[in-house]
Amino acid sequence: AYLANRDDMFDDVAMTPATIDGNIDIAIENATKTISRDLARRGGTGLQEVIDDTLATVGGTETVTLPTGFAGVKAFIITSGGNQAPLAPRDYVSMINEVPTTTTGVPSRYSIIQGTAPKAYLRQIPDGVYSLRLIYWKNLVALTASVTNPVFDAHPDIYEAAGMVELALSVEDEPAANRWRVVYDQKMNDMTAQDRNSQWAAAMSGAMPQVQVTVA
């Protein structure tokens, strides 16, 4: 409201039996969705990273159900037997072309099928139980009066810019929306570049890891 010089956008609209949120509430909700999708498109950020060592394959079952809030994979690794064997990311058609058989074995490739309940399809189809380590990006949770998320905590200016884009669109101020899109995009570029440089020693030379991301 301060940035937009408007203090008349907080009020909810009562329309029995429902209530429509005020413009600013809606702008904040949409900003979270925009940032989540944009980060997935850009390859995620360390602020979203989660390590899950609870997953395992089931013998004869080609899929592994992925965690709630899954947004994209940084690494998917078999950890059974004291060794770590990374699975290679593929799109589903490429994976089936490379491993057309449905016989079982030690998986070497995976493909993510998003849907409403994301799953990883494996080839070979597992011939037994293999422990897995999934390092993934988690979708940002919606902001409330008592709940924040890592991007908001570390980079509130990105939320301000994304929120202003949404607010300008809601009042049909296209010039303001375009100005704030430029600000938002620059801030996101700065954050993701800083993030990659801090995580990857090879980033400055242009060498980057291979990842598979899902755009929600």
Side-chain angles (χ1 to χ4, degrees):
Y2 168 75
L3 291 173
N5 195 26
R6 297 282 293 267
D7 60 2
D8 60 339
M9 294 180 156
F10 286 101
D11 292 340
D12 298 340
V13 179
M15 297 182 68
T16 306
T19 299
I20 300 176
D21 292 336
N23 290 55
I24 290 177
D25 289 337
I26 294 172
I28 293 170
E29 292 171 5
N30 289 343
T32 298
K33 296 171 185 175
T34 295
I35 294 169
S36 287
R37 287 192 296 264
D38 197 9
L39 284 172
R41 178 180 66 86
R42 293 167 183 260
T45 169
L47 296 171
Q48 294 173 283
E49 286 179 3
V50 179
I51 297 178
D52 189 337
D53 287 323
T54 68
L55 302 180
T57 65
V58 175
T61 300
E62 66 177 335
T63 62
V64 174
T65 300
L66 301 178
T68 301
F70 169 86
V73 177
K74 180 176 180 180
F76 205 12
I77 301 164
I78 294 178
T79 57
S80 293
N83 297 317
Q84 295 197 5
L87 300 172
R90 296 288 189 269
D91 68 81
Y92 189 81
V93 173
S94 296
M95 183 177 72
I96 298 304
N97 284 337
E98 292 175 9
V99 188
T101 178
T102 57
T103 57
T104 60
V106 179
S108 61
R109 300 163 175 80
Y110 73 92
S111 180
I112 302 299
I113 306 297
Q114 183 71 13
T116 56
K119 294 181 183 294
Y121 282 73
L122 306 176
R123 286 298 185 274
Q124 299 279 355
I125 296 173
D127 58 358
V129 176
Y130 295 94
S131 298
L132 300 169
R133 167 168 290 177
L134 176 66
I135 304 175
Y136 70 101
W137 292 289
K138 190 171 184 177
N139 282 321
L140 300 176
V141 299
L143 303 180
T144 70
S146 59
V147 175
T148 62
N149 63 53
V151 173
F152 176 82
D153 292 336
H155 303 280
D157 56 320
I158 290 176
Y159 255 90
E160 287 181 349
M164 285 301 297
V165 173
E166 298 295 339
L167 197 60
L169 290 173
S170 73
V171 297
E172 299 183 357
D173 187 348
E174 191 64 32
N178 289 335
R179 289 196 304 272
W180 280 104
R181 281 192 188 101
V182 174
V183 174
Y184 165 78
D185 196 51
Q186 183 59 60
K187 290 178 181 294
M188 284 290 285
N189 288 341
D190 291 346
M191 184 193 74
T192 52
Q194 178 190 41
D195 190 70
R196 287 185 175 86
N197 288 342
S198 67
Q199 290 191 65
W200 306 104
M204 297 304 292
S205 67
M208 297 296 290
Q210 292 184 341
V211 297
Q212 180 177 359
V213 256
T214 301
V215 178

